[in-house]
Amino acid sequence: MTLARYAVFGHPIAHSLSPAIHAAFARQHGIALEYTAIDAAPADFAAALERFAAARGRGCNVTLPLKEAAFALCAQASGRARRAGACNTLTHVDGQWHGDNTDGAGLVHDLTGRRGLDLRARRVLLLGAGGAARGVAPALLDAGIDELVVVNRTPERADALVDALGEPARAHSRYWDDLRELGDFELIVNATSAGRGADDFSAPLSLVNSRSVAVDLNYGEAAIAFLAWARAAGCLETVDGLGMLVEQAAEAFELWHGVRPQTDEVYAELRGRDKTLVTAD
Ligand SMILES: NC(=O)c1ccc[n+]([C@@H]2O[C@H](COP(=O)([O-])OP(=O)(O)OC[C@H]3O[C@@H](n4cnc5c(N)ncnc54)[C@H](OP(=O)(O)O)[C@@H]3O)[C@@H](O)[C@H]2O)c1
């Protein structure tokens, strides 16, 4: 029997947890599939995706830095992918790629479901304007936050993200150098990849108030610097991106296979597997 083929594309991708997560979900439902990690540099991504389709690849996840390129390669995109301008989940349908973005739903599921947080009426600071930030921004607005302030190292990308959101009354972009003047936030989301290889993270303590929750979309060592700053700054709660990773994968799995997998067991297994993940929670 030929197994149905799925994959995650990224650059780098060797340490991705997605193959283990999808294999665990498939075991829950007795679905036979192959899910591999494929490294594709941005310049090679279109060709790699074509080769995967030619080898009867049915669906794939896409991670950094390829999500905006994935959106451009899709013949059709869901509403949430169009709002994000970025795709993390592609499905091969009648010879074409259909794109979706499950990152935002994954984050909101983790924060409201697993963590029991009420996101409504929160003032939110989003650091970063890459593919992940584009995915989570619309979902945070839909979850009822009061205001979204987007700050990015390259300010033009923050402006473009906010323009694409089309909610000028609730979403604004600001300069990184002006963080001190932005007031305080009930939710601070790090959607940058700056923590990869960084020893520390620095931002004004004035961003934090007595209700602040800090969320890093990264997990493991890449989340240590930001979450250490958040704890030192007095955040009430700190959350890494492992739960979001599992929840966005569950959304993708449901799109492909039509069944919603249980996530708690898979999350607990991954959390227990790695000591860096434990300290990052
Ligand atoms: N937990 C999950 O399920 C999940 C899902 C998605 C992503 N993520 C994580 O989220 C992170 C971002 O992913 P992505 O897809 O958005 O990547 P991306 O498209 O490559 O964007 C990277 C972002 O990080 C910023 N950045 C990079 N280095 C920086 C530095 N030294 N200082 C300040 N900003 C810096 C970039 O700013 P510029 O625009 O100025 O370059 C950009 O905003 C990744 O580490 C990824 O692993 C986690």
Side-chain angles (χ1 to χ4, degrees):
M1 183 183 65
T2 316
L3 292 179
R5 292 194 71 201
Y6 296 86
V8 56
F9 287 82
H11 186 67
I13 199 64
H15 300 294
S16 172
L17 296 173
S18 292
I21 294 171
H22 280 268
F25 290 162
R27 278 195 300 278
Q28 283 178 15
H29 292 280
I31 296 171
L33 57 79
E34 175 193 280
Y35 187 112
T36 53
I38 300 177
D39 195 299
D44 304 329
F45 177 48
L49 200 56
E50 247 178 59
R51 280 195 298 278
F52 181 65
R56 298 206 305 279
R58 289 194 193 169
C60 60
N61 291 124
V62 179
T63 188
L64 105 164
L66 305 172
K67 291 179 183 180
E68 287 151 281
F71 176 73
L73 290 168
C74 285
Q76 284 187 38
S78 67
R80 55 190 181 179
R82 284 200 303 278
R83 274 174 90 195
C87 290
N88 76 334
T89 303
L90 309 188
T91 309
H92 205 238
V93 183
D94 298 332
Q96 297 181 323
W97 289 109
H98 290 193
D100 200 349
N101 194 315
T102 67
D103 276 341
L107 177 66
V108 170
H109 266 131
D110 184 51
L111 296 182
T112 59
R114 179 170 293 110
R115 316 270 170 181
L117 292 175
D118 186 349
L119 298 179
R120 286 172 301 174
R122 286 183 187 244
R123 194 163 181 254
V124 179
L125 175 64
L126 178 61
L127 301 172
R134 284 175 161 271
V136 303
L140 289 169
L141 289 167
D142 290 350
I145 63 166
D146 190 43
E147 185 188 1
L148 182 70
V149 178
V150 184
V151 173
N152 191 48
R153 180 179 61 178
T154 309
E156 296 77 15
R157 288 183 91 190
D159 295 343
L161 191 166
V162 165
D163 285 350
L165 290 170
E167 294 215 32
R170 282 205 296 164
H172 321 280
S173 54
R174 294 284 182 267
Y175 293 114
W176 199 286
D177 286 347
D178 295 339
L179 280 177
R180 204 170 295 282
E181 285 138 42
L182 299 183
D184 53 305
F185 295 85
E186 284 86 33
L187 184 64
I188 303 172
V189 180
N190 178 31
T192 76
S193 51
R196 294 166 170 248
D199 289 335
D200 64 358
F201 172 91
S202 169
L205 301 183
S206 56
L207 297 172
V208 172
N209 66 30
S210 60
R211 286 183 66 208
S212 298
V213 174
V215 180
D216 199 328
L217 303 195
N218 298 280
Y219 47 86
E221 291 190 352
I224 288 173
F226 173 76
L227 294 180
W229 168 83
R231 280 189 210 98
C235 284
L236 191 62
E237 200 170 333
T238 56
V239 178
D240 75 1
L242 188 67
M244 170 182 167
L245 180 78
V246 176
E247 296 302 328
Q248 63 77 29
E251 288 272 322
F253 190 89
E254 188 174 2
L255 278 172
W256 292 331
H257 307 292
V259 278
R260 182 89 189 172
Q262 292 291 328
T263 55
D264 284 350
E265 207 175 288
V266 175
Y267 172 78
E269 206 273 310
L270 292 173
R271 179 67 69 197
R273 194 194 271 194
D274 183 329
K275 294 293 173 252
T276 21
L277 294 178
V278 173
T279 55
D281 195 15

